[in-house]
Structure formats: C-alpha cells, structure tokens
Amino acid sequence: MEGASAEELDEFLVRYNHNGIELNDEGFQKLSEEISLESIETKLDMPWGRQNVTLYYGEVPLGESVELLVLRKGFARQLLPDGKIGGPTRIPITRSAPAPRCTTSSLP
C-alpha cells in the first residue's frame, strides 16, 4: 500500500467493531479524564484468530442507573486482495463494545 493516500489506504483497513463506536486518541484521552477507567489484559477470539488485547472499562452514570463502558484498544488490519485479513498496521484504533446493563452493586 506504499504510495497510497490516507483516503485510499482507509478503504483497505479492517476495523473489527460489532455494535460499538470508534474513538480517536483525543477522544479516548478526553473520556479517560472524565471517567475513571481501569484496564485488563486478556486473550480474545477475533476474526483473524486469538489475540492478546487490552480492555478498558468504567462506569458511566445515565439518569438513575449506571452503564458499564468497555473499550478495546488495538490496531487496524489490512484487507488483502484475496479477501483475507492481514496483520496489524501501525494505525491505532479504540472501539467501544456493548456491555450488559448493570448497577454499581453488580460491579467488582
């Protein structure tokens, strides 16, 4: 993908995201200043195989309830010409993941 513009390169990146949103680094930084985020490292099954990932989680008050927010930091991957997913790029991504509704008493 050498010589491709950022817009052209973006077409060939795979950002695995199921029912979540993508945050840029500035958005993640601002969020981490507004709510307390804890981190955990674990292995997860991804579309390209099992992988070590860092998850960040925190509580977000919404009205009279509390929502658990879970974020996964990783790197975008390249979509190869044969339709397979290539290795990670140097482009960092942060994704939110849907979490079950909970109350503060159900959190560790």
Side-chain angles (χ1 to χ4, degrees), residues 34-53:
E34 294 178 3
I35 66 169
S36 178
L37 292 173
E38 300 289 327
S39 67
I40 185 170
E41 296 208 14
T42 188
K43 271 195 149 170
L44 293 179
D45 291 324
M46 303 300 279
W48 46 84
R50 201 151 173 82
Q51 174 183 343
N52 289 324
V53 297

Side-chain angles (χ1 to χ4, degrees), residues 43-70:
K43 271 195 149 170
L44 293 179
D45 291 324
M46 303 300 279
W48 46 84
R50 201 151 173 82
Q51 174 183 343
N52 289 324
V53 297
T54 302
L55 298 175
Y56 296 85
Y57 61 94
E59 301 173 352
V60 180
L62 290 175
E64 295 183 23
S65 67
V66 174
E67 297 285 326
L68 178 62
L69 177 67
V70 179

Side-chain angles (χ1 to χ4, degrees), residues 23-32 73-74 91-94:
L23 290 174
N24 60 21
D25 286 338
E26 293 160 345
F28 179 77
Q29 197 63 23
K30 183 170 172 60
L31 180 65
S32 64
K73 289 194 95 163
I91 301 170
I93 57 171
T94 303

Side-chain angles (χ1 to χ4, degrees), residues 1 3 7-8 10 12 15 17 21 40 45 51 57 64 70-71 74 77 90-91 94-95 97 99 102 106:
M1 305 268 56
E7 288 177 9
E8 291 170 326
D10 197 53
F12 297 99
R15 292 174 166 91
N17 188 27
I21 61 167
I40 185 170
D45 291 324
Q51 174 183 343
Y57 61 94
E64 295 183 23
V70 179
L71 303 166
R77 292 184 171 254
R90 294 182 182 161
I91 301 170
T94 303
R95 296 287 188 167
C102 61
S106 65

